[in-house]
Structures are given as structure tokens and as C-alpha cells.
Amino acid sequence: MRYVYDFNHAHRRAPKDLKDLLGGKGANLAEMTSVLGLPVPPGFTITTDACRAWLHGGAMPDGLMAEVMKARGRLERSMRKRLGDATDPLLVSVRSGAKFSMPGMMDTVLNLGLNDKSVEGLAAQTSDRRFALDSYRRFISMYGRIVLEIDGARFDEAFDAAKAASGGSSDAAVPAERLEALCNEFKTIVREATGRPFPQAPDEQLRGAIEAVFKSWGGERAEAYRDREGIPHDLGTAVNVQAMVFGNRDDQSGTGVGFTRDPATGARGVYGDYLANAQGEDVVAGIRITEPLAALQRRFPKIHKALLEIFDRLERHYEDMCDTEFTIEQGKLWMLQTRIGKRTGPAAVRMAVEMTRASDLRISRTEAVQRITEEHLEQLLHPQFVASRPAAIARGLGASPGAAVGKCYFTSRDAYEAAARGEHVLLVRPETSPEDVRGMLAAEGVLTSRGGLVSHAAVVARGWGKPAVVGAEAVIVSSGHATITGHRVAEGDWLSIDGSTGEIMLGEVETTAATESKELAMILKWADAIRKGRLSVRANADTGEDARTARELGAEGIGLCRTEHMFLAEDRLPIVRRMILAADEQQALDALEELRVAQRADFVDILEAMDRLPVTVRLLDPPLHEFLPSTEELAVKEAAQGLSADEHALLEAARSWHEVNPMLGTRGVRLGVVRPGLYEMQVRALMEAAIDRIEAGGHPVIEIMIPLTVSKAELAHAREWVEGALRDTVPARLRRRLHVSIGTMVETPRAALVAGELAESADFFSFGTNDLTQMTFGFSRDDVEGRVMGPYLELGLLEHNPFDTIDVEGVGRLVRMAVTEGRRSKPGLKCGVCGEHGGDPASIRLFCEAGLDYVSCSPFRVPVARLAAAQALASAAPTSR
Amino acid sequence: MRYVYDFNHAHRRAPKDLKDLLGGKGANLAEMTSVLGLPVPPGFTITTDACRAWLHGGAMPDGLMAEVMKARGRLERSMRKRLGDATDPLLVSVRSGAKFSMPGMMDTVLNLGLNDKSVEGLAAQTSDRRFALDSYRRFISMYGRIVLEIDGARFDEAFDAAKAASGGSSDAAVPAERLEALCNEFKTIVREATGRPFPQAPDEQLRGAIEAVFKSWGGERAEAYRDREGIPHDLGTAVNVQAMVFGNRDDQSGTGVGFTRDPATGARGVYGDYLANAQGEDVVAGIRITEPLAALQRRFPKIHKALLEIFDRLERHYEDMCDTEFTIEQGKLWMLQTRIGKRTGPAAVRMAVEMTRASDLRISRTEAVQRITEEHLEQLLHPQFVASRPAAIARGLGASPGAAVGKCYFTSRDAYEAAARGEHVLLVRPETSPEDVRGMLAAEGVLTSRGGLVSHAAVVARGWGKPAVVGAEAVIVSSGHATITGHRVAEGDWLSIDGSTGEIMLGEVETTAATESKELAMILKWADAIRKGRLSVRANADTGEDARTARELGAEGIGLCRTEHMFLAEDRLPIVRRMILAADEQQALDALEELRVAQRADFVDILEAMDRLPVTVRLLDPPLHEFLPSTEELAVKEAAQGLSADEHALLEAARSWHEVNPMLGTRGVRLGVVRPGLYEMQVRALMEAAIDRIEAGGHPVIEIMIPLTVSKAELAHAREWVEGALRDTVPARLRRRLHVSIGTMVETPRAALVAGELAESADFFSFGTNDLTQMTFGFSRDDVEGRVMGPYLELGLLEHNPFDTIDVEGVGRLVRMAVTEGRRSKPGLKCGVCGEHGGDPASIRLFCEAGLDYVSCSPFRVPVARLAAAQALASAAPTSR
């Protein structure tokens, strides 16, 4: 195995595609050098293989240092200078460069090669002894801190003392003589701390710096960063050793960063900053005020022209906007880095669309679609806080994306009334329940201190596309005010929440509005063209209004209409409770009859909004006690003040329907079995609505879905109810015009394991991946997401939260098995997914691979899903289906 | 396809092995006729194929009646009589005969062939007109009721009127003339009810009777019976058409049943009943007093001798005890039926052992083992109620087998004190908790009105082998008395419960004691020899006492030692609560330290009881709130009377640890992650106990088990805790002498799905099939077993309760996948099962097929498991492992 490649090595494949091996920085340096022939200070890259070998064995792999020595020799020969040379020394930088950018996370050593002799050579060569000594001082402290692991404060204290003794506070105030003394002092610090003198041999310096970079891969900061960004821990980093150039040599020198287009807006034309007589760190540090790149045109017109030409070549070569770093040393331009530039959402879609044009880069539409990320879309679809946002005072779970700013109110009624007065309102509650819906609707956003990503607040807010932060434990809500990490927030005080990150900020933070973007519409249209006939995107919607929103956002049907939300409405709940409390069959049937009338109107509204598109209606799913008050509340009231007869009956019913593990209890189709007539009632209401629609000239397309199935006999039994109700309700003359299919959720592991049998009684499968994940892992989302998931992700016991992105090995395996075995038994069986994973791009990739026909997600995720599905299909090999 | 076989047909295989085709009765009639040449009235069998075709098509399959007509012709020729003949008619019986015996469940038509003409022929032939007319009367009413579906009451009323008019109450009082009038009246009833005359044509009668038998297969009673007995509904029944013989012809006639050995004790020598001048029904009906078979010897010495010879031939031929029916008609012996005889538990083991002897049938030991059923064993191992038990007044879930009789007490303390006074006590409670343990221990049995088969009462009682009936909703416990379906049961009143069937009976019902049986010991020894080196049987035991019991009952180790029971002991609970309430890490560690000392002693006791045998210790599994009081109870107390500071802290903790679905919450290894130090503490306690044992000369063999694993990283992480605690606790000099392996429960579906990876960090797998079933089905056992399982089994939505017998298609598939993929990744990986299925014979068969190394069950199930495992292995093809 070869561990070291010069930048100008002639690779068989384009180096920019070798990021696995060379890291991102090394790959692009090699690309610029060996392919584009751009002026890059020469150097070489030590591969990630070497790092992995080091991480694995804990020592430099065999042969690595020999290769490094040879590469160092080649570098010296090409530069006609030598490391440590007493007259005209070569200096190098040693930088990490992983496959994925990890800015600031790992270590860099500059000015390597300086020692007691070569510092004099540098002084002679630059005719600037102060510059040479200052470089040496920087090198010793940097090397001491990073490679030798000496507390950096010791060097800083010594330098501060030197500055004080020189009577100034700036680095520049320290004269050469004192710098020389300081170098000696620094070397003493090193000897004291390590018991050995500061290494003078350049090769020893080099070896130490390389090992320090390897080691920094496993540092705490870097690990935490990778956890956050989802970068695997076993990649390792490459190391780039490169000849130093100095932008701080003189006035003919300088340094800058440049983008080939504006990364904020996407406008064509270069964009960047320049700083004369300075090093790269100075630009980044922001201490000195930079000039725009245009300033270069006046001062160094030839260099400016050369830079623009390079930018143009980079764009054409990379076929994308590039981000670069460059340095001018004594009038000569050097390119130090390039990479595909990061961009805002609006810039991303503008560039992607424009670059498809003949007058631009002529990328394909598929390529344009591939370049838009989920974050880009969210920036366009939801208001965002400006970049200069203040620090968060607390953080909860980002439950529904977007920025929301408003005056705090602590009850639904207060929030509603304030909004009616024209105030911007934020509803802050310990948690929400159906009684809070009016206040939630009136509010700009919702903040709760309890509950997880499937709490009432989270689910409702996501359904409306309204920003929400939930489960923010630091928010303690009292009557009329809240305390947040020591800050008292009174009624009417401004607060800002970020529903993407979960951040909570004091005051009225500035936001940018959601953008109406023609380019976005175009991107989504192209995405739809890629998806067409392969994977459709539906929405989960429970009301006509949700359905209309979803259709506007591009939904091609409803994948999940939850009928329980119809049961929870204020005017329905008493009827539902009457059904549960019914003393005999007749009372129960009477209540069911009332519910039927009410549900029918709901269904008409939904079917109208989704005319000609499929609407999947799930029959009642949740356990009945969700429609009853809590036993504890009533029991406490009973002890304190007694109960009315009605309340007593409710308490009895709540006790009788109480379940130890309601998620695994009497719900879904089991409810249909223990409450005869319930499912028939729902189907009748739905069919009557469909007949209304047909008679009004509509074209309803209905899929009836049985939830929580575990066996074929159970599904066949439920199917008989549904077919019976169909026969009873739909007159023969209408049957041909009414498209109804009957299928099942696959949400228990057993349903997936016996999918081949289930398919015999199902016209379609819809994977309920939320429950399937809960049961496959044995994770009650309400319980583990708060207490368990955090430590599990931190300790790496799970790679990611399986409720965010589908678990490929466990849940995903069940999905693949069920699709395969279901279709083996019924070829062409329609399969979709209606869990929240249906809106997650990474999960959508798996669903594409599994051959699903559609995904369904909340209305406001539909654009993300349309894009992600197209991207997944575009990257996948065409399937035979 | 051929549908009809004469009894004397020469089958290619022994007819007794053709029960699938001929049904049980038909197969044995054919065996006796065609193989043994015994005197059997001739006849033919219509196969189950014909019935299935009829069930499927709803009509007689093509060609069936033509075959029947041919067979009828052969029968007439061999008997030299003809159906419906006016001078010497043939009569036949038409009886159902399914593969499995379903006594009394399906229909029989006797005397078929009688009509207005042949009744006179019968009168002439028998010189007994009254006999002929009585036979005709019986036939019309029987045919009318069964084939023509006329309400039987109409015939009964007419007959009662005839009896009354004859001035007597007995059938025999009705003279011939009145019988003749009655036959006419019966025919009128038929014409009125069906609009057609009573069929006179024998072939029409035959066709109707055959169809009626087919139809009776789908009758309600028969379906319910098959559900209860686990007989598949799609088998269908065969139909036997056989020449009638009459045991009620004269004093030279009679009928009887005979067993070739005593079915109650197993003693050699024939056993049976005989009734002179009677038909079979009279013996079964029990109206007339029967004589023992020996009486035959005096009256018909030649027939008695012939019968004994036949019994001897049957035993040698079937190699087992046979049950027969015979009839003597005018001095000639006819065999009407034989089959392998049912027997009691004591008889079963005695026969099985004796039949292996050279002086007896010389069956093999393996065959002897195969002949003992689970029910036989239970009859030997637990006290049983006598057969003449009274009717049950209510029924609960049979949670722990055996009969228990005692005086009722309604609190643990009362029960304990009464037992201390020497009373036999039954503890009756709404449900039990750890505080009731003392009373449960003192009681003969436990009865609760709430809770399922995994409730506290059920689990604890099974652990002790003490009879228990739980979840008997009809039992309403008040203070000082209980009401059971209207019966008031006061403190001190006698009650009897059957922990096998769940029955509750008033009063002191007589029991038979459990039997110490040398034969049983021998059977189990032979079973062990079959299992040796292939499948071992361990016990689930949490205390030294349980472990000792288990070892006495033949357990070869502990497959599951639940450490939570150690936490629930009265003196431990306060410490556990201190750990949960701990304000800081130190307080938590202090509490853990106290627990460690306590657990160490428990472990010493268990390891000593199981010296040299493996002991699998599961680290703490249940959610922490199980160690806290209920929030509702405390909240009610708070509202009613206020709480102390301690109680308030407990309420807060209970609220904070409250979970929506505790089964899927913070438990198992998750608890180890969120409560650092907990698992290390347990391992330290265990290792210290092991060291104590080694120093006392013992040989502890320890398997440490991590519960509820979902990912490899999680298991590897937990394994590090365990290994760390091992290193810290066990001095190097002892490591070699201490056998410790570290494995995991496979109880989440995901663990089974990623078993290949898990195996890399596991020395063994133990399938927790209880939880695996709960999660695979999404069935919370506590919730669905009460409300859902009943209707599901009744409606056939599930074939059986998957908590009783493992679900082969779903859960079983996961087990097979996990074993296969686990061993692919780690060849020879030890795999066992520790769910309650480990004691269920049908499940044990699946575990054998899946290649498991051991099953583990509660101590009192160990003999059943030893037997069932041997039977499964003996019937299975030898595996390559």
C-alpha cells in the first residue's frame, strides 16, 4: 500500500474524486496542480489509509516515514530549498484534511522546518530578522502546544510579559531582540515540560506534526463534531505537507478568499475578501477589516485578471460554484485551496437553475435537482432568523421548522385574545392538549416544556407548518410567567424560537421571510419529472384544509387520513364518550350513528380537496382511553371534592379501559373486533361521502386501510366488514364509478414477517414506520426519546435516532422482506409508507431501493419529499420495476 | 380420486395408518377386518376427501354416489340381505368418524334401510313386531331430526303422549299397535315439516344421511370443540356405513365396552362393562347398571374366551392398550370399534414402563417416553380433583396447575395467621403485590379477580408450584367476604380451585394427592437419555430455594435468574428507592453499595444450589418505577390528607419515572446506560459470591446476561462494564477457576434481525420469547390477554394464544433467523430460550428444530420440559449439529 502522493502525481482517476483517499483538501490541491496546472505551492498528501493504520495500530505504519522522507526530498528538489537549511530554508505547513470538511476541529502546524540555524537563514533570505524570529516564536509555541501537548497558557504568559516589557499591547511592538530572548524562553518551557530539548531536526519535527494530526482525529472536539454531523468515526484524516508562502512578507503580498459566485444570493460574478500584507488566519479571525476582491483590481490588475481566469476555469472544471483561498507573495499569486462552495437556500436554487442554461455551465436538470439539499429548501419554505441572531438561552426539541417571534402567553385563551387584538403571539405551555388548539392556531409558534417529537403540540404544529419547540425542560411555566434558565419571562414579553434547531432566544429576533421562488418551482417541477411513474409523494392529512394545503404543495394524494382526529373535535368527544359508556348495544349503535353523520361531512371535504387523487383512510386506530379523561385527575378530584354521577361513570370507564402499555393494547383493528359496528360505521360514512361527491360530479379515489394487523385471518375478517358496508351503502349503479381498494398498515413486526399471507387479503400495504420502529426496537417513543435517546446517541450505541431516519438493518430489513414477500404472493402489490420517515430524505432513499410506490408525509414536508425522492431515484440504478 | 373403501379392502399401507383418509373409526374397522380378520359387521368408509370436496363445493362430488351404490351392492351381496327388503332386510348405521375423536359432536343415523315395507320384513325375520316397529319409530325420528332438520321436540311430544296413553312412563310400556300408529304420526310430522313424505327409498335415505354427517362437521358444537382441542377445521370427517347388529335382540344378546388393561391404574388384565340385551347407547347413557366383563365368563364362557383372545391380539397388534366396543347378537360376537385407549397419568406411566419388558409388549424405551403426555405428567405431579367434582360456579385463568382446597381469607395477614393456627387456607385477593407474599406462601392456593397469566400472583405461584387461578372477574372481593356469581363467600368458608382449568367450586372438593411414582422417574430417566448432549433443560429460578427445587426436579442449570426479585424484598425496597431518589452520584453509589452486599448473599445461595451447573444471571431488567408506589395512589392521598416530605419525594420520583408504555421504556440495558454503576454493582456482587463459593470448594459456572439489547454497539458497551467489573473483582489467581461467559437476551425483534452482528459481542443468546412475542405482535400481554385474546381465538383470528405456544410464522421465524445468522457469525454459539414457552411442549418442538441448546422454564415445569424435549428429539430427524 502506498501512503504518500505528491500534489502533481498523475492519478489514474481525477484526484477530486479521490477524497476517500486524499481527503477533501488534498484531493482539490492535487486536482488544481496535476489536472488544471494552477499555481499551487508544491507539497504532498499522506493518505487516510495511513491515518487509519495509525489509529488501528497506535503507531506509524511500516514504511510510512520512509515514503514521507522521499516525498520531502522531492519537494526540496522542486523548491530548490531544504528544510532546516541555514541559508535559504524551506518551510512547510502540516494540515489535516479529512474527506468531509471539519472546520477548526483538527490541528495545523505552520512554519515547520525552523530551528536555531534555519531561523537565521530565513532572516537572511527575507532580509527581515524580526519576521524570522516572530515566525520561529509562533512555530515553537504552536508545535509545543499541538505536538508536545504543553499547556498553551505558558507560552501566552511569557509572550504577554514580553509585550508588557516592550511597553505595548500589540504583537508588532515586540522588537527583534526581545523575540530572540522569547524564543529561548519558549525552548526552556519545552525542555521543562517534556524533559527534552525542542526538536531541532526537521524530520523529527515533521514526524511529530504528522502524528499530532492523526491524533487530533480522535480528539474530543472532533468526535463531538462528527457525531453532530453524522460523519463516520472510522474514516481518518489525510495530512497535507505543503511549502509555505507568506502573504505577510511585504506590501506586495496579501491573502484572500474568493467565491466564483455570490454564495448568499447566487448572483453571477466573483465575491470575496482580500487583506494586504496578511496571512490567511488574519482574514478568518476578522481582526483587520478586509477589502472586497474588486480592490485587487486597482492594486494588482494583473493578479486580479489571473484570479478571475482561474475562477472561471475552476467553475467550468468543477461545474459548480467554487470557494477558494489564495495568497500573493511578493507579487506572485498562489492558490492554497478550493472546494465546492457552501451557499444559502435562495442562492442554491438560483445557481442550480441558471447553471442549466446554455449561456452558463449547461449542467443537466437532474444535476440541478441533485444540488438542492433539505436545508436549502427549508430556508426557502420557512422564515429564518438572520445570521446575527443572539445566543440561545435554552434549547428544546425542534419539532416543526421555521422561526417564530411573538409575545408570550401562557394559556390558549390569552393567546387567542391577544392575537385577536392584532398581537404576534407565542403560546408557551407545559404541554398542549386538544383544548389548546384554538390558541395554537392563533399563535406564530408554540413552545412547550414537556413532550417529545410525537407529542400533541409537535404533531399538530407540524401539520400546520407552524414553528414549534417542544420538550424544553428548562422552560418552567407558572401562572402568568415562565422562568427560562433564570430569565423571568412575563406575559407579553417577546421571545423567539427556532423550530429547526430547537433554540429559544430572548426578545424579538430579526427574521427573513419565506421566499416565493420561481427557481424553486422549477427545481421541483424537474424533480417531479424524474419521479414520474416511479415514486409518488402523498401527504398525511386529516381535514379538507390540510388536504388543500398538501395539494398546493404538490401532494399527489393522501397516504394517511387519521380518522381519530375527527373524533377528538370538541363537538364529537361527548358522542365518542357516549359510545364508550354505552350500557347496551343499542346505545352504542345510536352513538355510532351520530358519529357517522358527523364523519360523513369531514370526508366530503377531504375527497373534494383531493378529487381524482387517491385518499387513504385509516379506520380508527388509537386506544379508546385516549378519548377519556385521566384516571389520576378524576381520582384526585374524587378525593378532594367528590364527583358527579357523570364524572363517576367516566372514572369507571377510564379505569376499565386503562392499559399498562396502551401502544400495544386494544387499538387498531383490535378495537374493531371488541367494538362491533365501529369500523362499519366509518366505512358507511366514507361511502356516503363518496356518493355525495360522485353526484356532485366528483371523482373520489378511496383506499381503506386496516391498522395494526397481525394475521391474515384478522385482515380477512376486517375486510369482510368493509366489503359488507360497501355492499350495503353503495348502490349498484355507482359501483363502477367508485374506486375503492382495501389494504392494511404494516406496522407490527409480525405483519412484515407474514406479509406473503397478508398480501392475499390486501390490495395495498402501507408501512407505518413509526410504530414499526417502536416495536422493532422496543422503544416507546414518548418514553425513550427524552431519557434514553440522548445518551444512546452520545455514546454511539445507535448511529442515529431511528425515529428521524429509518433503521436500515432492523426496520428497513422488515420493510424489504415485506415488499418482496408481499409482491411474490401478489405481483404488483401497491406499497407505500405513511410514517414520518416518509418526509426524511435518507429514509426516502431506502424506500426507493425497497421499491415502494409512494411515500406520504406531513403537508409541509411534501416539497422536501418530492426533491429527496427525485434525488434518490436519480442516483439509484434504474430498477426493473 | 376414489372416495369409498370397503372395510375389507386390501390397502397398500396398514389401514390404521390411514386415519387422514379413513378417519379414526374407519381406519380401525378396516384394520380389524382386513388385517386381523376379526368378526366385524361388514361395511364401507366414505373418505375425508369426499367430505372436503363436499365442504368446498357445497354439493356431493361427482361420482361419489355411484361409488356408494356399488359399495352398497357389495355389502348386500356379502350379507345376503338387501336394504329395504320386504322379507329379510339389511339395516345399516351411518356414523361420522374424523381423524381425531370428537365424542358426541357429530351425528349418527341408526337403523337406516327401514321403510313401510322392510319394517314388516324385520318383524318377520326377528319374529318380533314390536322390536321392528320400535326400530322404525327410532329411525324416523332420528332421520327427521338429523337429516331433515325437524325440531326433535315434535317427535318427543308425540311419543310422550303415546306413553301416557299406554298408562306407563317407560318406552317398553308402549305396545306394538300404538307404535304402529306412532310411526304413522311421525311420518305425518315429517310431511308437515318438509312438505314431502318420509323417504322410503333406501338410497335416498343413505344419501341424506351421508350429507347430514358431512354437514355436521361444520356445526357450531363441532367447531367450538375443535377450537378448544386445537383440531384444524379443514380436515373434514369420514363416514362409515356398516351393517347393523342388535345387542337388544334377546337374552342371548348384549353389548359392552372393554379395555385391554385398566385405564385408571394401568394394571394388566381386561377391564370393562357388559350389559345384557341392550344396545351400545344404553351402556353409555348409564341408565341401566352394567356388569363387569367378568360376568360374561359365567354367562358366555366361549364368548368370554374369544374376547380375551381378541384383546390379546389387539394389544400385540397395536402394541398398546386398546379400548373396544363389542356386541353379542344371538350368541355371536361382533367387534364394533377399537382404538388406542385413553388413560390416566398414573396408568400411562405404569403401562409405558411395563410394556418395555420382555414379558410384556417389548416396546422400546423411546416409544414408552413418547406415550406420556403433558396432562399425564401433571396428573402425577399435582393434586387433582376427583372425577365427581361439582360444577364450577365461575372460571378464571388457570395460572399454576393443581387442585387447591382451603378456607378463604382476604388479606395476606389473615391468611398467614390462619395457616399458623393449622388451617388449610386459600388466599383470595383482587390482585397480589410483593406485600402479599407471606400470605401466598402460607396458602394452599391463590385466587385473584384481576391480572393475567403474567401478573404477580401468577408468576409467583408458578415459581412455587402452588395452584393459582387469576383474573377471575366474577370474584368480587369486599372487606371480609367475596361475592362470586351471586354466592356469598365469607371468611373461613371453604372454596376449591383448579389451577389447570381455572375452575372455582364451592366447598371442600375431594382431591387425589400428587403421586410419588417410580415409573415416572424411570420414564424421565429414559427421556434424559434421549436428550443427552442435544437439548438440556434448565429452570428459571431467582432464589436458592427455587434453585434447589429445580435441581431436584431435574434442572440442569438456571436459564434465567431475575435479579429484580432480589430488589423487591421487603428489606431491599427502601434501599432501591434511596438509589432512585439520590440527589447526587455519591448518594446513588452509596445505595448501590448496600444493594451489592445484599445481593452477594443471594447469589452465594443460588450458586451453591447449582454447583457445577450453569447459572444465567440477568442484570436488572424492569423499569425503575416498578420499585416506586403508584402516582395515582399518592396523588389521591395528597388531595385527601396531604403527604409527608418523604412521600412527596416519592410522588415526584414516581411522576418523573412514569412511562406511557413501560414495557418499551427505560428498562433492561437502557437502565444500565442511564444509571451508571448499576450493572457494575450487580456484577461485582455476583463475582464476590463466586469467589466465596470457590474458596468454599465450590465450582460456580456463571453466564451473565444483558437484557433488551437492540444494537451491537450497545451490547459491546455493556460487555465492557461487565468485563471491567470482572477485572476489578476477581483476583488473577482465581480467574482460571471461574467460568464466566457474557451474552444477551434476544427479546426485541431488532436483536433477532441483527443477530449476526450481536453474536460478535455475545458468548450466548437467550431468547426471551415472552417479550419477543409482545413486540412482534404488538400485544401487551397485561392488556390484550383479558380483552382481546378471547374474541380473537373465538373468531379464529389467531390459531392459538401465542403466549401459550410459540407463534411459528412470526416469532418462530425471528428465532430461526437469529440462531442461523448468529451461528453463521459465531459458529457453535450457545442458544437457549428462557421465556415461558420453554415449558410448553409444542413450543419445545420448534426450539428443537431451530437447533437450540437448551430450554429454561419454571421449576415445576422442568419434568414436562424434559419429557417434551425428548419427544421432540425422538420424532425429529437427527440434525447435523
Side-chain angles (χ1 to χ4, degrees), chain B residues 21 49 75 175 187 231 261 278 287 299 424 427 480 499 565 625 727 858:
Chain B
L21 186 71
D49 285 335
L75 178 58
K187 283 184 277 179
I231 300 174
R261 308 192 183 201
I287 303 168
R299 224 182 303 175
H424 287 276
L427 179 65
H565 288 194
H625 71 80
R727 274 192 304 274
S858 68

Side-chain angles (χ1 to χ4, degrees), chain B residues 421-433:
Chain B
R421 291 193 300 271
E423 292 183 21
H424 287 276
V425 164
L426 211 63
L427 179 65
V428 182
R429 298 277 303 153
E431 59 199 328
T432 66
S433 73

Side-chain angles (χ1 to χ4, degrees), chain A residues 326-391:
Chain A
F326 62 90
T327 282
I328 304 168
E329 188 187 52
Q330 298 184 309
K332 172 153 178 51
L333 174 66
W334 294 101
M335 298 304 296
L336 298 190
Q337 172 150 320
T338 194
R339 61 184 172 196
I340 305 297
K342 288 204 161 52
R343 62 207 69 186
T344 65
V349 293
R350 176 169 173 182
M351 285 183 204
V353 170
E354 289 186 352
M355 284 179 186
T356 61
R357 302 212 173 117
S359 59
D360 202 315
L361 297 176
R362 313 179 77 146
I363 64 173
S364 71
R365 288 178 173 182
T366 300
E367 177 59 31
V369 166
Q370 293 282 37
R371 289 188 182 176
I372 311 302
T373 66
E374 180 184 353
E375 289 70 30
H376 292 149
L377 266 197
E378 287 202 347
Q379 284 176 32
L380 285 157
L381 294 169
H382 304 287
Q384 300 289 315
F385 288 115
V386 294
S388 61
R389 64 211 286 176

Side-chain angles (χ1 to χ4, degrees), chain B residues 778-819:
Chain B
F779 276 170
S780 166
R781 192 169 180 180
D782 286 323
D783 301 311
V784 301
E785 212 153 37
R787 207 190 299 269
V788 173
M789 199 59 74
Y792 264 60
L793 294 176
E794 267 162 41
L795 294 168
L797 308 187
L798 289 173
E799 282 177 22
H800 53 75
N801 181 340
F803 294 108
D804 292 343
T805 292
I806 196 142
D807 157 48
V808 175
E809 290 173 295
V811 180
R813 182 174 185 186
L814 287 175
V815 170
R816 289 188 302 268
M817 278 169 63
V819 171

